Amino acid sequence: MSVLKIETRINEFLIIEDPHQNNLLGEVVEAKTYNRYIPLNIYGDFVDNSVLESLRALGYNIDDDTIYIAKVRLLNEALYPIQTGSDVRIPEFMEVKDIMIKSSTEEGLTLGVIKNTDDLAKDMDDEFKDLLYTFEEGGLIPQNEIPYILDLKSMHHYPHIGVFGGSGSGKSFGLRVVLEELMVQNIPTIVLDPHFEMDFGEVASYMEEKSIDFTDKFKCLQVGTHVGVKFEDLSAQDLKNLLHAASNLTDSMNNVVDILFKPRDSYYSFYNRMQMLTEAQEEGSLDRIENRINNANDNDERKAWLDRRDLFISYDKTCPYNSVRGIIWRLKRLGNDGVFSKDIKEIEDGLQNGKLIVIQGSTRILQVFSTYLLSNLYHKRRDYKDALYKKTTAEYFPPFLIVTDEAHNFAPKGYDSPSKSILKEISQEGRKYGVFLILATQRPTLLDETITAQLNTKLIFRTVRASDIQTIQEETDLTAEECRRLPYLRTGDVFISSANMGRTIFARIRAALTTSPHTLNPFDELKSKSKEDDDKFLNIIMSKLPINDIELAQVALEIEKETNITYTVNNLEERLKQMVDKNHIKKEETIFGYRYKV
Amino acid sequence: MDALNNKLKEKVVDLNTILTEKYGSILKMNRQEIRSFINNYVGHIKKMEKLDKDQLSIYQSKGGIVGVDGSVNKIGGAYPHFVEIYQALAKSTTHRDDNIVLADLYTPLYTEQEETTLENEVRIIDDKRNMKLSTIEVDAAIESVKNHKPYAILMDGGLIRYNINAHDRWMELRNLCEQEGVILVGVIKDIKTSIIGDKIKEVDKSIKDTFYDRELLFGQLDYGEMITINEEANRKEPKGYASIFLRSSLAPTVIGMDIIDSQREYIEEMARLIFTLTPENSRGVPLWLDIVDKEVLISDDMIKSMMEEYMDRGLYERFFISERDKRN
C-alpha cells in the first residue's frame, strides 16, 4: 500500500524509489481514494453541501484533501521489505518499454492500447505513436496510450490464442482486429465463419479515409458453393469422420464403411454399391435373387441382378441392412449439402499466397467440412516438415493459423466430435509444425479442457456467466480482483493474459478498419425497406392522382400495363389508405363518394 | 457485582432527585417567559440570515478565514512520570499548504522553577497545560496574522482564557489584530457562563441557586437565533470583550462567541459567518474549526511511536511506561 499525492488508476504502472533497493516497478491492482472529511462525517455530524459551498467560497475546496491509495503489485518480487516513506512516481516510457512492448509494429499484431498508460505514452518513441484509433462513445479517438502489440513470433514458443467473452463484449470485433492484422502481415490463415460475418470488403463507416483496402488479402468461400470435399481423395477414416459429423455412426455402420468403401471410390460408385446391396437385401434371400435373374426381361436387367447377387453373397453377412441404409442416408445428406461437389484447391492456393481464407457455412456443415479440411491441410504441412527432417522431398506447404468463432461447437467438452480430435492434435503438436489456433468462444466452460490448457495467450472480454468466470479464473493468471471486474468491463476492454508477457495486461481493442455485414440494425432495416416501398408506390400513383373510388379498377389496370406490377382493387386501396395514414396523400369525401388526392 | 450495582443505582436515582428539585422551577418556566426575560434583561434575541456566496467571496479576497485550535496528548502514568504534548494549528482557508503548526511539551520531571509540592500537583499541571497550550495557540495566531493576513481569525474556545493564561502574548495578538484590521473571535462550544442565571438571581431575590447559561438556554432559541448580550449584563472579568449566544444548528444546544471590544461592530457579521459555516445537522460547531481540530489532533499511538523512535529506549521505559500501558 502506498499513499499518493498523484492520482492513480487501476493497471497503471508506478515506480517506487526505495533508497536501499533499486527502483521497484509495480502495477496498481487496486485504486481507492480517501478523504478524511468525506463521507462528510466528522464526529458524527452530517455535513451538508451548503457549508461545503461556503467553504469553497472562502477559498477552501474539501475535494483537494482527497488522497489516493493504491495497492501495487511488484513486477519482480522485492528482496527486502519496501522502506516506509519511499517516494512513488510515474515511470518514464524508457523504464517500462521492455515490459510493455515485446515486438515491433512490423512484426507484431497491433491490437489496441494498454489502458491507463497515457502518462507514459507522452515520451514514447515515434514509431509507436499514431498507429491506431480507439472507438469511444464520442466516436474515434486518436491513440494517446502505449500500443498493445501481440508478438507474433512468440507464438512459436507460446502457441495458440483464446478469445473469450459474452455476446456484445467486443469479442467479434476483437477477432476482426486480429484478422485484419494477420492480413496486414500476409499470414496464411483459415477462418471458420459460421456467422457469415468475417467479410473485410466493407470499410467501417467511422473510418473515413483512414482504412486499408483488404480486398486482395482475403477470400470468402462457401462450403458446397465454392469449396467442398473431393470424394476420390478420401480415406475410409476421412469418410467415417464426415459421415459421423452428419450424424453419429454406430459400430456396425463404421464397419459397413470399412467393408464397402474402396480406395479411389467416387461418390457415385460408393453410393451405387450400397444402393445395390440394399436392393438385394430387400429381396430377402439368394433364391429370390436367382429368381429375379431368371425372370429378367432383358439383358441389362439380368446383368444388374447378377451384380446385386455378387454383392449379396460377399457382404450380406457382414453388412446388416439397417446399417447400410444408415450410411446411405448420411451420405445423401452430405451430398445434398454440396459437400462432395467441389474440392479444396482454392483454399490451398490461397494459403500458399499468404491470404486469409474465410470458410462460410452453417455450423453443422462447417463441423463436417473443417474436420476434413483441417486434417488435410495440417497433414500437408506436417508431411512437408517431416520430409525436411528426413531429408526427403515433399511439396512446400506454408505454416498457417486456424481461426474460429464459437470454438466450443468444434471442440466441445465432454463428448467426442470429429473436428475435436484434429483440433486437439493441432493444439498439442501444432507448434512443432507451425500450425496455430485462435479459438474464440463465449462459453469457455464448454470448450475442451485439453485444448483450453494449450491456449497460451488469452484475450478475455466482458463475461457475465458465473461458471465461465470460474473457468477463466482457473485457466488464466487473472487475479480474483480482476475476475470480479469481468462482468463490468466496457465493450472492447480486454484482459490479455499472455505467457510471453508473464502477467495480465488491461487493454482496449483498437477500432476495426472494416465492418461486419451484419451491423445494420434490423429495425432500421424494416424502416428503410418500408420507406423504399412507399417511395416506389408513390412514384407510380402520383401522376394518377386524384383517384376517385370508382376508378380504382381502371387505375390498377393502367399500373399493370405501365409497370407490370399487379394490384387487385382491394390491394390498391389498402396501399392508398396506408399512404393517407402516413400523410403522403389526402383522402376527401365528395358527393360522388371519396377520392384520393395530393 | 449485583450489590455494587444496586448501590450505584441508588446514587443515580438520588442525583436525578436532586436535579429535579433544583431545576424544578426553571424547567417549569415556559419558553415564552424565559425568552421575554432574556429580551428584557440580558440582550435582544434576533434572527440571523446566512451569508451569501458573494459576501464569502469578499472574505476570500480579503485573505480568507483562519481557524486556530490546539491539542493535548498525555503519555505515561501518574505524577510526575508523564509528559504532555501540546500542538497548535492555525489553518487558513486560502493558504492551503501553509499551515502554521507550533508544539510544546510539559513534564513535571523537568521544570523551569521549583514547585514540586504534591498537594498542588493538579493545579500546577492544569496551569501549566493552560499556559503552554494557550501560548502556542496565541503564537500560532500571531504568526498567521503576519503570514496569512486573514480577514478574520476564529479561535477555538473563549478569548478570555488567553487573556488569563497567556497574557503578554495575548496582548500582542490583540494589538496586532487591531493594527492590521483582522477580526478576532473566539467560538465557545461549551459555554460555562451564568450571565442569565446571575440576572435571574438579581431580579428574583428568592432564588439562591446559580443556574448556568447552558442549562437555561437549552432549547430556548430557534435555529439561527442569536442573543447579543448587553454590556451591562456581561460582567465577565476581565473586561474588554463582547459576547453573544447563538443556536447555529438544529441541535438544541447553544454556543457562544467572543469578540474583542474594539471590534464590537463586527459581532453580528461574525455570528452570521459562524452560522453559515455550521452544518445544519451538527453539534453546532463551525465546520472549519472541526477540520482544524481534526488536523491538529495526533493519535496517542503516533506520539508513542515518535517517543520510541526519538528517545533512548531506557529513558522512555524508565519514566513514561506505566503499568496501565503494559496491561494488555
Side-chain angles (χ1 to χ4, degrees):
Chain A
M1 286 281 189
S2 97
V3 178
L4 302 168
K5 287 264 168 61
I6 41 180
E7 292 183 29
T8 57
R9 292 164 299 180
I10 197 148
N11 299 114
E12 191 167 45
F13 282 84
L14 294 173
I15 281 189
I16 300 168
E17 294 179 324
D18 188 308
H20 305 300
Q21 307 179 59
N22 287 337
N23 286 350
L24 300 166
L25 185 62
E27 185 180 8
V28 177
V29 290
E30 249 182 270
K32 282 181 186 151
T33 61
Y34 170 73
N35 188 322
R36 56 181 158 167
Y37 305 125
I38 301 174
L40 312 180
N41 184 340
I42 300 177
Y43 303 124
D45 283 350
F46 189 77
V47 180
D48 47 81
N49 206 35
S50 77
V51 174
L52 294 180
E53 285 297 327
S54 301
L55 277 182
R56 217 162 276 156
L58 283 171
Y60 179 81
N61 188 354
I62 203 159
D63 297 338
D64 296 343
D65 267 313
T66 299
I67 52 173
Y68 293 83
I69 303 172
K71 190 172 180 182
V72 175
R73 184 169 56 207
L74 294 180
L75 258 56
N76 298 309
E77 222 176 323
L79 293 174
Y80 306 99
I82 296 171
Q83 181 74 28
T84 313
S86 297
D87 283 339
V88 169
R89 65 174 168 85
I90 289 170
E92 306 279 310
F93 176 72
M94 285 316 291
E95 292 173 295
V96 293
K97 182 181 175 185
D98 289 347
I99 57 159
M100 293 284 198
I101 296 184
K102 298 279 187 188
S103 171
S104 70
T105 49
E106 286 83 30
E107 292 188 335
L109 310 182
T110 310
L111 298 185
V113 291
I114 303 176
K115 296 264 287 185
N116 298 341
T117 53
D118 45 348
D119 291 328
L120 298 172
K122 284 181 192 120
D123 55 348
M124 184 164 67
D125 306 348
D126 283 344
E127 63 165 313
F128 300 116
K129 285 182 178 165
D130 302 322
L131 297 175
L132 53 90
Y133 292 86
T134 53
F135 196 76
E136 312 284 347
E137 278 91 311
L140 280 193
I141 307 281
Q143 172 199 350
N144 62 358
E145 292 169 302
I146 297 179
Y148 178 83
I149 305 174
L150 186 81
D151 185 6
L152 199 57
K153 280 185 166 174
S154 75
M155 283 190 92
H156 182 56
H157 299 288
Y158 304 107
H160 315 312
I161 299 174
V163 182
F164 304 148
S167 62
S169 64
K171 172 175 57 93
S172 294
F173 269 91
L175 205 54
R176 173 170 289 275
V177 168
V178 170
L179 297 179
E180 284 176 1
E181 289 291 320
L182 289 171
M183 283 189 281
V184 171
Q185 308 276 348
N186 297 317
I187 308 291
T189 305
I190 291 278
V191 183
L192 304 179
D193 177 20
H195 297 151
F196 291 82
E197 64 179 2
M198 288 306 171
D199 191 308
F200 301 89
E202 209 170 308
V203 173
S205 56
Y206 48 77
M207 285 316 281
E208 293 161 12
E209 276 116 52
K210 298 159 196 136
S211 194
I212 301 175
D213 184 12
F214 291 112
T215 324
D216 296 330
K217 302 260 187 181
F218 79 101
K219 209 169 219 182
C220 285
L221 300 173
Q222 282 161 25
V223 181
T225 311
H226 306 109
V227 289
V229 175
K230 196 172 176 198
F231 199 89
E232 288 78 1
D233 290 345
L234 287 175
S235 68
Q237 188 55 44
D238 287 341
L239 182 59
K240 281 191 287 188
N241 284 344
L242 283 172
L243 295 167
H244 183 72
S247 187
N248 284 350
L249 295 186
T250 61
D251 287 349
S252 162
M253 289 184 202
N254 272 315
N255 197 36
V256 168
V257 177
D258 284 334
I259 293 166
L260 291 183
F261 180 75
K262 308 289 177 216
R264 308 305 301 164
D265 249 346
S266 72
Y267 176 76
Y268 290 102
S269 64
F270 181 54
Y271 179 83
N272 278 336
R273 188 174 305 122
M274 290 192 292
Q275 186 67 31
M276 279 156 65
L277 175 60
T278 54
E279 280 166 17
Q281 287 172 324
E282 276 159 13
E283 286 304 308
S285 67
L286 205 54
D287 290 347
R288 298 179 70 160
I289 296 170
E290 294 287 356
N291 216 10
R292 284 275 194 180
I293 296 168
N294 296 334
N295 296 331
N297 292 327
D298 53 40
N299 248 357
D300 287 348
E301 197 181 328
R302 186 194 326 280
K303 169 96 178 44
W305 280 106
L306 279 169
D307 290 346
R308 282 169 177 72
R309 187 191 63 184
D310 294 344
L311 287 170
F312 187 83
I313 293 166
S314 310
Y315 302 122
D316 180 50
K317 293 280 181 297
T318 47
C319 300
Y321 174 73
N322 282 331
S323 300
V324 182
R325 292 292 318 166
I327 296 293
I328 291 176
W329 174 79
R330 283 165 177 74
L331 190 68
K332 255 163 99 176
R333 187 170 175 195
L334 293 178
N336 290 342
D337 285 336
V339 171
F340 300 118
S341 58
K342 299 277 172 185
D343 58 25
I344 59 168
K345 187 83 180 65
E346 206 170 348
I347 299 175
E348 287 173 30
D349 289 349
L351 291 183
Q352 294 275 16
N353 292 323
K355 282 193 189 186
L356 182 106
I357 306 295
V358 182
I359 314 287
Q360 297 178 322
S362 70
T363 303
R364 192 182 60 79
I365 289 287
L366 278 182
Q367 276 174 352
V368 175
F369 183 65
S370 65
T371 309
Y372 165 78
L373 175 71
L374 297 184
S375 71
N376 205 298
L377 298 178
Y378 176 62
H379 288 111
K380 278 208 162 72
R381 171 66 186 168
R382 205 170 89 170
D383 292 346
Y384 167 70
K385 288 292 276 186
D386 286 346
L388 274 190
Y389 178 69
K390 290 180 210 150
K391 299 200 164 51
T392 56
T393 52
E395 196 195 348
Y396 175 71
F397 200 82
F400 61 99
L401 267 75
I402 298 161
V403 182
T404 174
D405 204 348
E406 309 298 350
H408 59 275
N409 287 331
F410 296 97
K413 175 155 83 183
Y415 59 93
D416 268 333
S417 94
S419 45
K420 176 161 130 180
S421 58
I422 179 66
L423 286 174
K424 213 163 163 174
E425 187 179 342
I426 295 173
S427 78
Q428 284 169 323
E429 39 182 61
R431 185 171 79 94
K432 277 192 286 187
Y433 302 107
V435 178
F436 306 109
L437 298 171
I438 299 179
L439 301 180
T441 175
Q442 42 180 317
R443 299 302 321 277
T445 311
L446 303 183
L447 189 63
D448 181 76
E449 279 160 324
T450 318
I451 293 177
T452 314
Q454 298 291 333
L455 301 173
N456 285 278
T457 301
K458 295 173 192 89
L459 279 64
I460 301 143
F461 291 88
R462 180 174 63 237
T463 302
V464 177
R465 220 174 242 275
S467 61
D468 290 330
I469 294 176
Q470 178 78 28
T471 307
I472 287 165
Q473 194 163 4
E474 282 162 14
E475 298 292 339
T476 66
D477 60 353
L478 255 65
T479 62
E481 287 139 28
E482 285 162 340
C483 284
R484 270 198 291 281
R485 286 165 62 196
L486 280 178
Y488 311 107
L489 290 187
R490 287 169 61 218
T491 298
D493 282 357
V494 61
F495 285 114
I496 302 178
S497 148
S498 129
N500 181 31
M501 286 284 197
R503 67 196 170 83
T504 300
I505 285 183
F506 186 44
R508 181 160 185 79
I509 292 293
R510 70 163 167 79
L513 303 175
T514 58
T515 185
S516 149
H518 302 318
T519 47
L520 181 61
N521 186 314
F523 298 102
D524 288 342
E525 178 195 313
L526 280 177
K527 217 171 227 172
S528 80
K529 174 83 172 92
S530 85
K531 172 136 187 5
E532 204 174 283
D533 288 352
D534 290 352
D535 288 349
K536 215 158 116 192
F537 181 70
L538 282 172
N539 212 11
I540 294 168
I541 57 151
M542 269 311 180
S543 60
K544 314 221 174 293
L545 292 176
I547 303 170
N548 290 314
D549 56 349
I550 43 167
E551 299 168 351
L552 282 171
Q554 175 67 27
V555 171
L557 214 69
E558 280 175 29
I559 292 175
E560 184 164 359
K561 229 180 260 168
E562 288 163 19
T563 64
N564 272 334
I565 301 171
T566 312
Y567 287 102
T568 65
V569 172
N570 284 342
N571 231 326
L572 184 61
E573 186 157 18
E574 182 68 18
R575 286 295 278 149
L576 286 168
K577 273 186 193 157
Q578 281 175 8
M579 293 303 107
V580 173
D581 284 346
K582 291 180 180 174
N583 280 327
H584 293 311
I585 59 173
K586 292 191 180 70
K587 178 180 176 178
E588 66 173 11
E589 301 285 341
T590 69
I591 41 169
F592 309 110
Y594 53 86
R595 66 173 184 178
Y596 298 93
K597 62 168 201 168
V598 180
Chain B
M1 267 316 261
D2 278 347
L4 192 65
N5 256 340
N6 280 332
K7 290 252 167 63
L8 195 55
K9 198 175 82 190
E10 280 161 27
K11 289 278 176 201
V12 173
V13 171
D14 285 351
L15 173 65
N16 194 53
T17 318
I18 291 165
L19 289 177
T20 318
E21 273 167 19
K22 181 181 170 186
Y23 289 94
S25 55
I26 295 297
L27 293 172
K28 267 185 224 124
M29 263 175 99
N30 75 29
R31 193 167 189 246
Q32 215 43 57
E33 281 168 10
I34 290 191
R35 285 172 67 95
S36 73
F37 181 88
I38 291 169
N39 261 325
N40 290 334
Y41 293 97
V42 181
H44 184 53
I45 298 179
K46 192 180 170 191
K47 179 100 188 139
M48 286 179 291
E49 292 297 320
K50 289 190 178 179
L51 296 172
D52 60 20
K53 296 271 140 51
D54 296 341
Q55 187 64 37
L56 294 167
S57 301
I58 292 171
Y59 290 174
Q60 194 235 330
S61 64
K62 287 183 174 174
I65 305 293
V66 165
V68 177
D69 196 4
S71 71
V72 180
N73 292 79
K74 184 179 170 182
I75 302 290
Y79 183 88
H81 293 117
F82 65 85
V83 55
E84 283 199 339
I85 290 173
Y86 311 115
Q87 264 215 130
L89 167 68
K91 187 178 173 71
S92 160
T93 55
T94 48
H95 297 71
R96 161 168 294 279
D97 297 320
D98 185 18
N99 290 341
I100 292 162
V101 183
L102 298 176
D104 201 351
L105 56 78
Y106 167 70
T107 169
L109 293 170
Y110 159 77
T111 48
E112 287 96 352
Q113 65 253 47
E114 284 308 311
E115 40 152 67
T116 39
T117 45
L118 256 167
E119 309 90 77
N120 284 340
E121 93 187 40
V122 174
R123 191 186 52 76
I124 290 166
I125 294 163
D126 275 359
D127 283 355
K128 279 284 173 195
R129 174 187 300 152
N130 288 335
M131 193 195 87
K132 292 216 171 199
L133 190 56
S134 295
T135 304
I136 57 171
E137 282 180 29
V138 171
D139 282 347
I142 290 173
E143 219 171 298
S144 168
V145 174
K146 289 177 182 164
N147 294 356
H148 299 146
K149 304 208 182 313
Y151 180 74
I153 295 183
L154 308 183
M155 307 288 285
D156 185 75
L159 299 181
I160 289 162
R161 80 189 158 98
Y162 298 114
N163 196 329
I164 297 166
N165 294 323
H167 187 265
D168 293 350
R169 305 298 293 147
W170 171 248
M171 282 308 165
E172 190 183 332
L173 173 62
R174 232 187 121 128
N175 293 334
L176 192 62
C177 285
E178 282 168 352
Q179 215 174 302
E180 301 281 330
V182 176
I183 305 168
L184 187 58
V185 295
V187 179
I188 307 151
K189 299 174 209 171
D190 272 317
I191 47 178
K192 299 181 187 80
T193 52
S194 55
I195 294 169
I196 300 169
D198 292 348
K199 208 71 199 171
I200 291 175
K201 263 193 342 196
E202 196 183 305
V203 173
D204 184 347
K205 303 288 184 204
S206 67
I207 295 174
K208 291 280 174 282
D209 293 313
T210 300
F211 296 106
Y212 289 92
D213 294 327
R214 180 197 155 94
E215 305 151 4
L216 291 169
L217 286 172
F218 188 85
Q220 303 301 346
L221 294 183
D222 287 332
Y223 176 51
E225 277 184 339
M226 60 178 271
I227 306 168
T228 320
I229 301 163
N230 298 334
E231 248 174 290
E232 184 267 324
N234 191 4
R235 274 180 250 148
K236 282 193 288 187
E237 287 293 336
K239 293 277 180 199
Y241 303 92
S243 306
I244 57 146
F245 295 129
L246 74 155
R247 180 174 171 192
S248 54
S249 76
L250 293 176
T253 45
V254 168
I255 65 165
M257 190 194 88
D258 288 343
I259 193 164
I260 52 177
D261 237 350
S262 57
Q263 294 175 339
R264 174 181 279 274
E265 57 186 298
Y266 299 107
I267 198 165
E268 195 177 324
E269 187 187 322
M270 286 299 110
R272 287 176 64 193
L273 173 66
I274 287 168
F275 179 42
T276 310
L277 290 183
T278 306
E280 211 173 66
N281 297 297
S282 73
R283 304 155 355 269
V285 182
L287 180 65
W288 188 241
L289 282 180
D290 261 347
I291 286 178
V292 175
D293 177 80
K294 202 160 185 189
E295 201 160 323
V296 74
L297 212 64
I298 321 168
S299 71
D300 284 348
D301 287 342
M302 194 83 132
I303 298 276
K304 271 184 197 152
S305 67
M306 195 177 72
M307 304 270 292
E308 279 165 16
E309 181 151 351
Y310 296 107
M311 281 190 77
D312 289 341
R313 182 73 209 178
L315 282 179
Y316 176 56
E317 182 96 13
R318 178 186 297 243
F319 291 115
F320 298 125
I321 306 262
S322 68
E323 177 269 339
R324 188 180 284 270
D325 288 330
K326 293 183 169 172
R327 260 187 214 176
N328 46 17

